[in-house]
Amino acid sequence: MRLSKRLETIIDMAYCWISLQEKEEKQGLCVADVGTDHGFVPICLIERGIVGRVLALDIRKGPLLRAREHVQNQGLQERIALRLGDGLKPLKPGEAQLVIMTGMGGELMLRILKESPQIRETVRCWIFSPQSELSWFRYGLKELGLAIRDEVMLQEDGKYYVIMKAEPGEMYYSEEYQYRYGEQLIRKKSQVLAEYLEQEIQKFQKIREQIQKTARAETVGAKERLQEVEEEIEQAKKVRELLGKTI
């Protein structure tokens, strides 16, 4: 089965974590895919021999029916269980050791995590790919006692995606830009992050010019917005400097 670059990265991250576990333990590991959509990730996890059992969850009946059809076509009904429900609620504590959660906004993901503390406390590894509110999401993980251990940023079909691996533990960043752009990405000097930063800087510079040109540029609201934009530019340039990239 051919997957998108984003889904392949998620599969690779899951494989890397599972491969580090003890040989005797691997046989009993179970992965849960929250928001499974078509069920492609669970199918690939099984077909590639990465894990022996997967739980495929989705809140919508339509996608779950499509996932069921794909699972049945591959003859994997005995190894992939499909469950309908909101977030982590279809899971039992300790049932899944690795949980994959992608295709949602960061705010929604945090809500799902907060609503199921009994599940959250038993999961050993998480793979997230929030579609928005990345800075807020990283702060939220810290507050929930989850530490980001790895991040990958990629571009696909004109969009940027960030995929994170998190485990129970403490996480503290001293600078705001580490939450905004990802300490792991900065540390690895991500080339994709560098490209993204150039676009961000250009975008905010144009916004700054537009604010300065408007007739109401001296209003309190305009000044506050201008200050926010200046801070965005400063943060992005700081990270670009750390990556060793200059215009």
Side-chain angles (χ1 to χ4, degrees), residues 110 113 120-121 123-124 126 128 137-149 166-171:
L110 288 177
L113 290 170
R120 191 179 71 241
E121 293 169 359
V123 174
R124 294 166 52 193
W126 302 83
F128 300 111
F137 185 71
R138 292 185 181 102
Y139 272 113
L141 291 183
K142 181 188 73 169
E143 293 173 359
L144 292 172
L146 295 174
I148 298 171
R149 303 303 187 193
E167 298 175 348
E170 295 183 357
M171 180 175 69

Side-chain angles (χ1 to χ4, degrees), residues 178-193:
Q178 294 170 303
Y179 290 98
R180 187 171 303 185
Y181 294 110
E183 169 59 20
Q184 296 292 327
L185 295 174
I186 298 170
R187 180 181 58 79
K188 293 192 294 185
K189 296 187 181 297
S190 167
Q191 177 60 40
V192 180
L193 175 59

Side-chain angles (χ1 to χ4, degrees), residues 121-161:
E121 293 169 359
T122 62
V123 174
R124 294 166 52 193
C125 181
W126 302 83
I127 295 176
F128 300 111
S129 184
Q131 293 185 331
S132 59
E133 299 107 9
L134 290 175
S135 178
W136 191 10
F137 185 71
R138 292 185 181 102
Y139 272 113
L141 291 183
K142 181 188 73 169
E143 293 173 359
L144 292 172
L146 295 174
I148 298 171
R149 303 303 187 193
D150 190 21
E151 287 195 55
V152 175
M153 189 175 198
L154 58 91
Q155 185 186 39
E156 186 173 42
D157 298 330
K159 296 181 180 180
Y160 288 94
Y161 299 95

Side-chain angles (χ1 to χ4, degrees), residues 42 45 53 68-69 72 134 143 187-188 231 239:
L45 286 171
R53 184 166 176 259
R68 186 179 301 279
E69 181 180 350
Q72 290 175 344
L134 290 175
E143 293 173 359
R187 180 181 58 79
K188 293 192 294 185
E231 290 176 358
V239 175

Side-chain angles (χ1 to χ4, degrees), residues 5 17 78 108 114 121 125 127 129 173 187 189 211:
K5 187 191 301 184
W17 183 81
E78 299 299 319
L108 175 57
K114 291 176 181 178
E121 293 169 359
C125 181
I127 295 176
S129 184
Y173 299 149
R187 180 181 58 79
K189 296 187 181 297
I211 295 173

